Amino acid sequence: FGYIASIIGMFTYFWQVYVLGQTEYQVYLLPMGVYFLVLSYFTRNEKNRDIPKSFTYGGLFILLVPLMFQTFGDQGFYYSILLGVEGMLLLSYGITSSARLYRYIGIASIAASVFSQTYNVLFSLPRWVATAVAGLTFIAVAIFLLLKRKDLK
């Protein structure tokens, strides 16, 4: 009955926000995403490990994917700040709880936030500069992975 009560609570919240005339999507999506993440946290000791994982993936999807698309819109700067803040919160939670998924998603959110505000500048660079930076990045990652492989042996 706890799940049913919480679903009724979420619908009540959505109805109240709708009655107040709120048209901002994040007012709806943020509580729903946090709800799924909290639900995954409290169901992590279940016998079936797929239930908390699905709640985690669903909550992260609801929190971040629509917000990432909104960062490329008209008022993308404000959404980009919100995406960066959510990314920092996820990264800090991932570091303190040793959860790799939250760390990686937090880093990706921060990177997406920065990219959404700088992609015009990046695409206006001459082609040779972009190719050189991409090539140097590829070589640096390859060297790093090769050095990491030697450390693992």
Side-chain angles (χ1 to χ4, degrees), residues 26 30 34 37 60 63-64 67-68 71 76-94 102-103 105-114 116-117:
Q26 291 303 318
L30 187 67
V34 170
L37 290 176
L60 290 173
L63 271 179
L64 300 174
L67 186 59
M68 187 177 64
T71 60
F77 176 73
Y78 301 109
Y79 294 118
S80 178
I81 290 174
L82 183 60
L83 182 64
V85 168
E86 286 181 8
M88 286 188 282
L89 289 173
L90 289 171
L91 179 63
S92 62
Y93 176 73
Y102 290 104
R103 263 187 281 173
I105 295 291
I107 291 169
S109 299
I110 294 169
S113 173
V114 170
S116 70
Q117 297 305 306

Side-chain angles (χ1 to χ4, degrees), residues 11 20 36 77 115 134 140:
F11 279 124
L20 291 174
F36 280 125
F77 176 73
F115 178 74

Side-chain angles (χ1 to χ4, degrees), residues 19-151:
V19 167
L20 291 174
Q22 191 61 249
T23 59
E24 178 62 43
Y25 291 125
Q26 291 303 318
V27 174
Y28 296 99
L29 295 174
L30 187 67
M32 189 184 315
V34 170
Y35 168 73
F36 280 125
L37 290 176
V38 168
L39 202 58
S40 74
Y41 179 78
F42 286 121
T43 59
R44 70 186 185 280
N45 293 330
E46 294 282 328
K47 291 179 183 176
N48 188 356
R49 300 302 252 170
D50 293 335
I51 293 172
K53 280 185 181 180
S54 62
F55 285 144
T56 300
Y57 294 144
L60 290 173
F61 182 84
I62 290 170
L63 271 179
L64 300 174
V65 172
L67 186 59
M68 187 177 64
F69 286 121
Q70 286 177 325
T71 60
F72 292 100
D74 293 335
Q75 297 192 354
F77 176 73
Y78 301 109
Y79 294 118
S80 178
I81 290 174
L82 183 60
L83 182 64
V85 168
E86 286 181 8
M88 286 188 282
L89 289 173
L90 289 171
L91 179 63
S92 62
Y93 176 73
I95 290 171
T96 57
S97 69
S98 299
R100 289 186 314 196
L101 175 69
Y102 290 104
R103 263 187 281 173
Y104 296 148
I105 295 291
I107 291 169
S109 299
I110 294 169
S113 173
V114 170
F115 178 74
S116 70
Q117 297 305 306
T118 59
Y119 72 95
N120 286 333
V121 175
L122 292 175
F123 289 131
S124 66
L125 290 174
R127 184 175 290 219
W128 68 269
V129 173
T131 305
V133 168
L136 288 174
T137 303
F138 180 74
I139 291 171
V141 169
I143 291 171
F144 174 75
L145 291 175
L146 284 172
L147 292 175
K148 186 91 169 163
R149 187 181 72 172
K150 289 180 181 177
D151 291 341

